[in-house]
Amino acid sequence: MKEAEIRKLIAANLLCVFSVILTAVIPAFFWDGFTVVGTHLTWLRICSVSVSALSIVLHLVLKPNLSRKKSSFAHKISRFLKCCIYFFMSCVLFHVIIVLYGAPLIESVTETFLFAVLLSTFTTLQCLCMLGPNLQAWIRVFTKNGAMSIWESSLQITTMCSILGAWFGAFPIPLDWDRPWQVWPVSCSLGATFGYMAGLIIAPLWIHWNRKQLTYKSR
């Protein structure tokens, strides 16, 4: 395993971590009263857009898993449209799942959908950037020993950490503490965000620690 590839992964992941941190810091200089908790819906929009833009740019620049075969312009347009459809379907699916897990059905539709968009940004968008609209590749990557590169291993870890973070973030909501961050969906979205950042940091460390065992043989 090339150390240069691991260094690229570390640099890309750290950029994503810093981008999330900056979404909580920079808007405060231009927006009076901006806070992650106080103006949470605004922060959800800013964070989703920032992470999406940076993820797309990084994958276009680094091209970790893109095929070297040349494709026609029509094929690229078709691929882009499929990715947009998959992302929207992911947002709707996450929204439905979140409601089934107990989120308000009618009272907080906007909050729930924006949380679903954030979660899709941390998970589905990364899969689309890395693997494209190829469900077979998605299934392969998320099966045991299915990753074929350090980038796919990182994708596994960050995706699972994001989902687990969102799940753990729901635990404080029913507690009778009357804290501002217990309002839906603040704790869940913060949990997903911390999980995503934790995954970005853990992934290259885990890969570096296990680099001798990770052979990534072609399948």
Side-chain angles (χ1 to χ4, degrees):
M1 184 182 300
K2 295 181 180 179
E3 291 293 330
E5 200 71 9
I6 296 179
R7 286 195 292 270
K8 284 184 181 179
L9 176 65
I10 293 173
N13 285 11
L14 287 178
L15 279 175
C16 291
V17 171
F18 287 132
S19 72
V20 174
I21 295 173
L22 290 176
T23 62
V25 176
I26 292 180
F29 291 101
F30 305 97
W31 188 322
D32 292 336
F34 176 87
T35 62
V36 172
V37 175
T39 53
H40 192 65
L41 296 186
T42 301
W43 176 78
L44 282 176
R45 295 183 179 97
I46 295 173
C47 186
S48 298
V49 171
S50 300
V51 173
S52 298
L54 181 60
S55 298
I56 293 170
V57 170
L58 285 175
H59 283 86
L60 288 175
V61 172
L62 299 175
K63 298 180 180 180
N65 266 30
L66 295 179
S67 174
R68 295 182 180 180
K69 295 180 180 179
K70 293 184 178 180
S71 56
S72 64
F73 180 74
H75 180 268
K76 291 179 180 178
I77 293 296
S78 175
R79 180 187 175 95
F80 173 75
L81 292 176
K82 285 183 180 179
C83 288
C84 292
I85 294 172
Y86 277 34
F87 182 78
F88 177 74
M89 290 173 60
S90 170
C91 294
V92 174
L93 180 61
F94 271 124
H95 184 101
V96 172
I97 293 173
I98 293 166
V99 170
L100 292 176
Y101 267 88
L105 177 62
I106 299 175
E107 293 83 355
S108 305
V109 174
T110 302
E111 289 84 347
T112 303
F113 187 74
L114 287 176
F115 172 49
V117 171
L118 181 75
L119 201 53
S120 295
T121 301
F122 292 155
T123 57
T124 306
L125 179 68
Q126 310 303 319
C127 294
L128 290 171
C129 289
M130 184 81 63
L131 308 171
N134 185 345
L135 292 180
Q136 291 182 345
W138 293 24
I139 295 171
R140 171 184 59 77
V141 168
F142 290 101
T143 54
K144 185 178 180 180
N145 300 322
M148 295 174 60
S149 69
I150 62 173
W151 300 94
E152 292 183 357
S153 292
S154 179
L155 181 65
Q156 288 178 335
I157 295 171
T158 54
T159 299
M160 296 307 299
C161 285
S162 299
I163 294 174
L164 287 175
W167 185 62
F168 282 116
F171 287 179
I173 293 179
L175 301 177
D176 190 18
W177 294 346
D178 294 327
R179 295 291 189 269
W181 50 267
Q182 287 180 278
V183 176
W184 175 256
V186 177
S187 62
C188 286
S189 55
L190 290 180
T193 303
F194 286 127
Y196 173 65
M197 292 193 295
L200 290 171
I201 296 171
I202 292 170
L205 295 177
W206 183 85
I207 291 169
H208 184 268
W209 184 265
N210 296 278
R211 63 189 183 280
K212 293 182 180 179
Q213 289 78 30
L214 299 175
T215 55
Y216 295 122
K217 293 180 180 180
S218 299
R219 291 171 173 80

